[in-house]
Amino acid sequence: MTTTQLNSTKQNPLDTPVVVIGSGLAGWSIVKEFRKLDSVTPILMVTAESGDFYAKPALSNALAHKKGPEQLVTTDAKKMVSTLGVTLLQNTVVTKIDAATQKVETSVGNFGYRQLVLATGANAVTLPIEGDGASEVVSVNSLADYAALRTKLVAGARVLIIGAGLIGCEFANDLGGAGFEVHIVDPNPGPLSSLLPIQASELLKTALSKVGVHWHLQTSVESITRESRNGLCVTLSKKEQLAVDVVLSAVGLRAQTELAKLAGAVCDRGVIVDSKLQTTLPNVFALGDNTQYAQISAGGVSRPLPYVMPIMYAAKALAQTLVGQPTDVIFPLMPVVVKTPALPIVLVPPAPAVMGEWSLVSEGIWNYAGEDGMIRGFLLMGSQTSQRAAQLKRIAVS
Ligand SMILES: Cc1cc2nc3c(=O)[nH]c(=O)nc-3n(C[C@H](O)[C@H](O)[C@H](O)COP(=O)(O)OP(=O)(O)OC[C@H]3O[C@@H](n4cnc5c(N)ncnc54)[C@H](O)[C@@H]3O)c2cc1C
């Protein structure tokens, strides 16, 4: 890939721009919100990708919607640039931030910034796995990753998914529904077991089994070796062996914090920001999967929120701050929607600090009651997902 610069006509090159690093949902959302308030200030977006706009959540149900990687792009980079009036440096990596002189260094030169927005996302976690087939494990966290996965999905391919969390279950449903032989390995006793009560996890397991998913629970992948004829041989910790063609790892993401750390910003599980999304560096802000937010709906615990809705709220608040109206981001309750059509799920998990327990209210509805007796979370499954608005009204947020 070579670096390309796409220019919009509105830029005044003499002005110091707002620089945005990253062209994922966070990068493009802050640009869109900023442009609603300021159509003049130059914006320079630097991205390691093409800058084409797509909805990342669509990656894990694209087969069901009969979409390939090309069809997932909703607006190409050129159109984004002309609509939003930005300069885009495609396929360009920011290698350093100099917070003292307010400059970013890239492979094609250095650029000053008035304000800098870090929207660098997260990287897929890689598990330590032995064997000469371990390098063939793929993860999907970008359109390019997804395109690479699709080239491996030839008819009749046997797919092993490592991790029965949100992304693993969604891919299992999508691949199983499309007729692939799907296996899932997870050290936990069931899918989504850190989020769901045990009976609900069992229901999801049964529903996914019906679309052809095979479960290998309370075990993990030890080694993967390449078999000359028969694809990959995966050995599990229980010494079971599986013959598969593709291994998809879905064991989680780690916030991309290296650049920020190198520049001296305080980072923990993400780049630490205050309620106005400012990092510990002057004029440097962050939002999206790379960010550890200061203020969240319930409990007030600082933590990453690697979902779409937080980006939308963060982008609106940050745009106000960038144009000189300092604004706190306030997140409402944001239900998690699990895209498993075999058994749709809507979930508001309790805040991390809240103690309590799940109880079944009626078929497909669970409430999480805190020790104070108040409803602190809920879970809806199947047709009960239509109760989402009503349940949200019942939940205690203080
Ligand atoms: C398969 C899948 C399904 C999902 N489904 C859902 C869902 O149903 N609902 C939901 O709410 N959330 C879902 N998510 C999560 C959601 O998609 C993410 O929270 C969101 O897309 C993150 O956007 P982002 O812009 O923060 O990060 P990213 O999309 O990762 O963007 C980061 C950008 O930064 C660039 N970058 C990084 N470092 C540099 C550098 N040094 N120089 C230049 N550029 C750099 C990257 O190239 C990229 O353009 C899903 C995620 C995945 C992977």
Side-chain angles (χ1 to χ4, degrees):
M1 285 278 186
T2 50
T3 297
T4 325
Q5 181 169 331
L6 295 179
N7 282 308
S8 69
T9 47
K10 286 183 187 166
Q11 308 280 313
N12 176 355
L14 296 177
D15 291 340
T16 310
V18 170
V19 172
V20 177
I21 309 176
S23 62
L25 278 171
W28 281 124
S29 298
I30 183 57
V31 171
K32 283 182 193 167
E33 293 299 331
F34 184 85
R35 274 290 176 251
K36 288 180 190 167
L37 307 174
D38 178 335
S39 59
V40 178
T41 300
I43 301 176
L44 171 68
M45 177 183 271
V46 188
T47 177
E49 298 182 301
S50 68
D52 289 340
F53 185 80
Y54 73 104
K56 195 182 279 191
L59 300 179
S60 49
N61 60 5
L63 289 166
H65 291 100
K66 304 208 180 320
K67 288 194 172 170
E70 300 80 24
Q71 291 83 45
L72 290 172
V73 173
T74 50
T75 315
D76 68 22
K78 212 168 166 188
K79 181 83 179 151
M80 294 300 287
V81 163
S82 62
T83 310
L84 293 168
V86 297
T87 298
L88 176 70
L89 280 178
Q90 300 171 299
N91 309 313
T92 306
V93 174
V94 175
T95 48
K96 192 176 166 193
I97 299 161
D98 186 335
T101 58
Q102 302 209 167
K103 282 197 172 70
V104 293
E105 289 183 18
T106 77
S107 41
V108 296
N110 301 345
F111 301 90
Y113 61 82
R114 177 185 102 174
Q115 289 144 323
L116 176 65
V117 179
L118 305 176
T120 51
N123 297 327
V125 170
T126 316
L127 291 178
I129 296 174
E130 302 279 315
D132 64 359
S135 59
E136 298 194 35
V137 175
V138 294
S139 347
V140 173
N141 187 36
S142 69
L143 201 52
D145 293 343
Y146 186 65
L149 172 68
R150 286 294 285 262
T151 61
K152 289 176 180 271
L153 292 177
V154 294
R158 299 157 297 175
V159 185
L160 172 69
I161 297 172
I162 309 177
L166 288 167
I167 307 289
C169 287
E170 291 182 357
F171 272 115
N173 200 152
D174 207 37
L175 291 160
F180 293 97
E181 179 182 318
V182 179
H183 296 262
I184 294 200
V185 175
D186 194 289
N188 292 300
L192 301 185
S193 61
S194 61
L195 284 174
L196 303 184
I198 190 143
Q199 306 93 320
S201 172
E202 272 301 316
L203 289 174
L204 178 60
K205 184 179 160 204
T206 305
L208 290 177
S209 299
K210 287 185 186 154
V211 294
V213 176
H214 304 273
W215 298 92
H216 308 272
L217 297 166
Q218 294 178 301
T219 186
S220 55
V221 173
E222 270 189 353
S223 69
I224 303 175
T225 50
R226 172 138 279 291
E227 303 283 289
S228 51
R229 289 197 169 185
N230 220 8
L232 300 165
C233 174
V234 180
T235 304
L236 305 182
S237 57
K238 283 181 178 169
K239 303 305 169 208
E240 185 186 356
Q241 290 198 320
L242 300 170
V244 297
D245 303 292
V246 182
V247 180
L248 171 61
S249 175
V251 295
L253 298 174
R254 187 166 295 126
Q256 165 62 268
T257 56
E258 282 72 18
L259 257 188
K261 257 192 219 155
L262 201 67
V266 176
C267 300
D268 181 19
R269 291 164 62 207
V271 183
I272 302 264
V273 294
D274 64 15
S275 59
K276 294 183 176 57
L277 301 159
Q278 177 158 358
T279 70
T280 51
L281 300 173
N283 296 317
V284 182
F285 301 83
L287 80 166
D289 281 7
N290 62 341
T291 301
Q292 182 166 334
Y293 293 102
Q295 191 177 343
I296 61 164
S297 54
V301 182
S302 163
R303 62 180 158 125
L305 294 169
Y307 303 105
V308 171
M309 287 309 287
I311 291 174
M312 301 301 143
Y313 286 96
K316 275 190 198 307
L318 180 54
Q320 298 275 353
T321 298
L322 295 180
V323 299
Q325 296 154 17
T327 302
D328 288 330
V329 58
I330 309 284
F331 296 116
L333 277 177
M334 294 172 287
V336 176
V337 177
V338 189
K339 305 186 296 292
T340 43
L343 186 62
I345 295 173
V346 174
L347 171 75
V348 173
V354 172
M355 302 303 287
E357 61 182 358
W358 287 107
S359 60
L360 184 65
V361 178
S362 60
E363 196 181 333
I365 304 183
W366 279 259
N367 280 341
Y368 190 92
E371 283 175 338
D372 56 4
M374 308 292 276
I375 299 174
R376 300 290 176 180
F378 67 79
L379 162 67
L380 306 171
M381 292 182 119
S383 60
Q384 298 287 19
T385 50
S386 63
Q387 297 299 313
R388 167 181 166 157
Q391 282 290 319
L392 275 171
K393 286 189 193 140
R394 292 192 196 113
I395 201 160
V397 285
S398 59

